[in-house]
Structures are given as C-alpha cells and as structure tokens.
Amino acid sequence: MSKKTQILLLQVSLVLLFFSGFHGSLCTTDSDILDPYILSRSNNDASPNSSPSIAPEDMFLLQAPSPLMPYTYTGVPKLSGHCAFNFSAADSILRTTATDCWSSLAPYLANVVCCPQFDASLAVLVGQASSQSQSLALNVTHARHCLSDVEQILKSQGASEKLLEICSVDPSNLTESSCPVIDVNEVGNSLNASSLLASCEKIDPTIECCNQVCQNAISAAAEVLAFSGAPVLLEKSTVISDCKSIIVRWMASKFDPSSANRIIRVLSSCDINKSCPLVFPDLKNISNECGEVASNPTSCCNAMNSYLSRLQQQSFVTNLQALNCATLLGKKLQEANITSNIFDLCHVNLKDFSLQESGCLLPSLPTDLTYDQHSGIGFICDLNDNVAAPWSSAYSGASSTCNKTAALPELPKATSFQLSKGINMKDMVYALLFASTVVIQLLI
C-alpha cells in the first residue's frame, strides 16, 4: 500500500470515528460564534430564501476534527509586475474567492459558489482598474499577465490549483471581445448612467430574479453600446452579451469593490438558478425496470435509487437548481415512456439531487464559504428538507420559482438574524466533511 493511500485511509478512519460520536459535538452553546475574522465577512455569508411555504427542522452542526480541515497559506504569490490591478483594494473579495474556491472542494461547488465569485472578482478588478487605464477591457498581453497574477494570489490563499480550468476562464474573459465601446467615459456618456446605477445599487436578491429591474437595465444599456459604433459582423446576441460584460465592469468602477461584488453575485444567482447543472446518465436501466411499475415496484425503485446515487456524485446544487433537475429528469423519464409517477412511488425528494446521500441543498441566493481556524471550511447547508420532487411534465421551473405559493425548500428563520449578528455555529454552519467523501471516492 502506497504512502498516499495510507494517508487517505487514515482520513477516512477519522471521519468514521467522528460520525460515531458526532452527537457530542452538538453541545455548542449559543455564545459560541466564529472568530472576528469570519464575523467581519459575514454580511454575504448567509442569505434568507424567498417566500417559502415549508419550514424545515433545525439545522445540524457537523464539525469535523481539525486533521480534516487543513487550510494553510502556501506562501507569497509570485506576481508578474505587469498588471495594473489594485489587488490591495480588492483584498477582501479575493480572500472570499479563495475560500469559495477552496482546494479539493472547488469542482463540487463550482457552479453555485466558486465560479460565480471568481467571475465577480475579475469583473470588479477590471472595473476598478479602469479609473487609471480609462478602459473596461484589457489587451491580450495585459490580460494574460493579470489573470496569472490573480491565479497566483488565489492559489497562495488556498484556492484550487485548477481554478481556471474548473471555471473555464482564460485571458479572453478580460478583453472586450466584440463590444465596440470599452472606454469608461464613453460608456458613461452613452447611457443614462444615473438610472442604470439606481436600478442596481439597491438590488434585492430576494426579488431581482423575478422583477429583473437591474437585469433589464443592464440589457437595455448593452443594446445601446452594441449598436453605437461601426456595424459588427457578428450575431446580435453575441455582441449584446459581450457588451453586458462591459456594462457590469463599468458599474463595478462606480461602486466600492464589496458593493460591486454583491451586485454581480446576485445577477449570477439569477442565471444559475434557471437551469440544472447536472449531467444525466443514460436512462436505459430505469426504463427497463420501471416500464411496468405495477408488476415490480421494488425493482423500479432500486433502479431509481441507483441512478440518483450517480447524480449525487456530481456537485452541490441550490434548492431551485434541484427543482429544475427534478423537473428535467421527470420529463426525460416520461419521454422514455414511463408514465407512472415513480418519484412519488420511490419517495424522491429535491435533496436527492444534490451531492452526498444526506442531500445538502444550498441556498438559492448568493452564499459564500467561510473559514475558521477551529472548525475549518464551512457553508450554509440544509439537510432537513424533504420536499417531494415534481413529476408533472407541464411544470415550468422558470415561471413557478416566482410563484409566492410554491413549496420550495428554505433555510431556518435564524438566517436573517445571522446577517447582522454573525454566524452562530449551533444554528447554521455545516462544517465540511465533504473532503472525506472525496477521499472515499478516490479509494473506490
């Protein structure tokens, strides 16, 4: 047995030992909160969910032994010296990004937490730098240097070594692409700047995805930029999309880094919750076992559970993403001529679409991971929702999520309190044991 395998087995043993006595870790008092480092960053760490109609039980605190929570700085980053980004001004959001994209967890939180925060930090850095460069886009050479510097800084603070690959980011993400207007002053003069800023300044994460006040303002501004210069021989939608990025960077130049980051994260949450990030394997086995449900329901549900276990190995999802995934899978099953509601038959819940058998659903609103030297990496996680997965093929995820009467998962009511008081470990922190799950998968 190799030394690496021995270490992995030791980590698994620690996890099993922890679970055998985790009830003892639930005796944290109400006064036990995270240290000031976390409290100073708690404003965006927890977000109340939108108008749910089902109240779950209290959350569990799962706190792993410290050997499972290594979080060490790897040294001083080696910067190129050719990037004009003000990294000091953006220090707070870069630390948040490094934590959100922490090492081995980044691939499993990429769609929901890591990549949205990474994209936001890049937009803020480019926007803030425009006060000196007067440009909302970098040339390819400058973009290459700056992206390398950002990567070095984040990796030095614990972020994944494969962050660029995980989030599909390259230097072109920092350039103008096809948008014809990139001068910061020209952008401001081309738009109704005060109206645009007012539409997004006080963005409400609980209703923006439905009323789309900020999103509509950005889209309108992007259309103005897209057709204000010489005709571009590209698809209209492509040019408008590229100009939206320029508008977002322009807004980032008008707000402080933290406020700009918050606005961009809200906008990204609206996008990611419109779809399902999971890749569905072939349905042949379920189709074979569930075609005649009445004859053998046990065999059908075994096939269904086996299929769900494969989905649970992919990534964490938000409660709204789980709703979309359940709806999409239901439609695929019905297209495979499975007419009976096997979700109901097999007691399939929304949490069954998220990583781990315990079914951790993340909030649909922007959330960040936290780091504490005593309890390690943590995030908001609901282990208690048992909302039935929808089966109706007529269900429309995009419209029903704005229905105030929809039965969606929610976080405990303590969430809104924690926004101003800091995160109470007894209430909400789900200390990450997922690293152990990764270890187990590596051994299989």
Side-chain angles (χ1 to χ4, degrees), residues 76-98 118 120-132 138 142-157 164 174 257-258:
V76 178
K78 184 180 294 185
L79 304 184
S80 66
H82 300 291
C83 179
F85 284 171
N86 188 343
F87 293 116
S88 297
D91 176 67
S92 177
I93 63 172
L94 288 173
R95 285 188 289 115
T96 297
T97 305
F118 185 35
S121 65
L122 292 176
V124 171
L125 286 167
V126 175
Q128 293 285 311
S130 69
S131 61
Q132 298 296 323
L138 310 183
H142 195 194
R144 187 179 298 112
H145 288 307
C146 287
L147 187 58
S148 175
D149 286 357
V150 172
E151 182 184 22
Q152 291 300 314
I153 291 172
L154 294 177
K155 288 197 298 186
S156 74
Q157 297 181 0
L164 300 186
L174 304 180
S258 178

Side-chain angles (χ1 to χ4, degrees), residues 419-434:
L419 288 172
S420 59
K421 297 287 188 173
I423 298 177
N424 187 303
M425 292 185 68
K426 179 180 178 181
D427 290 332
M428 292 295 293
V429 176
Y430 174 71
L432 281 179
L433 297 175
F434 174 67

Side-chain angles (χ1 to χ4, degrees), residues 24 50-51 116 169 293 354 365 386 407 424 433 443-444:
S50 56
S51 302
V169 172
V293 175
S354 193
L365 304 186
N386 290 304
N424 187 303
L433 297 175
L443 291 175
I444 294 177

Side-chain angles (χ1 to χ4, degrees), residues 14-334:
L14 287 171
V15 175
L16 295 176
L17 177 63
F18 161 72
F19 272 114
S20 68
F22 93 93
H23 286 291
S25 70
L26 299 178
C27 58
T28 310
T29 65
D30 289 333
S31 61
D32 291 335
I33 59 176
L34 301 181
D35 65 17
Y37 173 74
I38 294 297
L39 296 185
S40 67
R41 301 164 55 199
S42 64
N43 288 339
N44 292 324
D45 289 341
S47 299
N49 209 338
S50 56
S51 302
S53 61
I54 295 181
E57 302 170 8
D58 291 336
M59 300 286 283
F60 287 111
L61 162 66
L62 302 181
Q63 186 170 353
S66 56
L68 293 175
M69 299 295 180
Y71 189 85
T72 56
Y73 290 88
T74 58
V76 178
K78 184 180 294 185
L79 304 184
S80 66
H82 300 291
C83 179
F85 284 171
N86 188 343
F87 293 116
S88 297
D91 176 67
S92 177
I93 63 172
L94 288 173
R95 285 188 289 115
T96 297
T97 305
T99 306
D100 284 351
C101 298
W102 181 74
S103 187
S104 59
L105 285 169
Y108 302 93
L109 289 163
N111 178 268
V112 182
V113 180
C114 172
C115 296
Q117 175 56 32
F118 185 35
D119 292 340
S121 65
L122 292 176
V124 171
L125 286 167
V126 175
Q128 293 285 311
S130 69
S131 61
Q132 298 296 323
S133 68
Q134 302 302 306
S135 176
L136 293 165
L138 310 183
N139 63 47
V140 176
T141 301
H142 195 194
R144 187 179 298 112
H145 288 307
C146 287
L147 187 58
S148 175
D149 286 357
V150 172
E151 182 184 22
Q152 291 300 314
I153 291 172
L154 294 177
K155 288 197 298 186
S156 74
Q157 297 181 0
S160 171
E161 295 280 338
K162 298 181 179 180
L163 182 56
L164 300 186
E165 177 184 345
I166 291 170
C167 295
S168 300
V169 172
D170 59 45
S172 67
N173 291 82
L174 304 180
T175 64
E176 73 273 15
S177 298
S178 62
C179 189
V181 184
I182 62 173
D183 180 87
V184 65
N185 294 318
E186 187 177 351
V187 169
N189 293 333
S190 301
L191 309 172
N192 186 340
S194 59
S195 177
L196 174 59
L197 295 176
S199 297
C200 297
E201 182 177 14
K202 297 182 179 180
I203 190 170
D204 186 339
T206 63
I207 61 175
E208 171 61 30
C209 298
C210 293
N211 63 22
Q212 301 183 12
V213 171
C214 180
Q215 296 170 79
N216 288 339
I218 291 174
S219 295
E223 288 197 33
V224 171
L225 292 190
F227 304 106
S228 62
V232 179
L233 300 178
L234 290 173
E235 287 288 336
K236 177 181 177 181
S237 59
T238 300
V239 180
I240 292 177
S241 177
D242 290 341
C243 286
K244 282 183 180 180
S245 296
I246 296 299
I247 294 295
V248 169
R249 295 173 193 172
W250 177 82
M251 289 198 307
S253 72
K254 302 302 179 183
F255 296 112
D256 64 88
S258 178
S259 297
N261 186 82
R262 179 183 65 84
I263 293 171
I264 298 171
R265 285 296 303 277
V266 172
L267 295 173
S268 66
S269 72
C270 293
D271 288 333
I272 66 175
N273 283 304
K274 291 178 182 177
S275 60
C276 170
L278 302 181
V279 177
F280 292 98
D282 186 77
L283 295 168
K284 183 177 180 180
N285 191 39
I286 298 181
S287 181
N288 290 338
E289 299 296 339
C290 299
E292 298 291 341
V293 175
S295 62
N296 196 343
T298 300
S299 178
C300 172
C301 289
N302 286 340
M304 185 75 245
N305 292 333
S306 176
Y307 188 88
L308 289 174
S309 69
R310 295 171 67 185
L311 294 182
Q312 290 165 356
Q313 297 174 15
Q314 294 186 30
S315 69
F316 288 103
V317 298
T318 69
N319 43 32
L320 293 184
Q321 285 181 323
L323 191 64
N324 294 331
C325 291
T327 302
L328 181 57
L329 179 57
K331 290 181 179 179
K332 288 180 176 292
L333 290 170
Q334 291 174 71

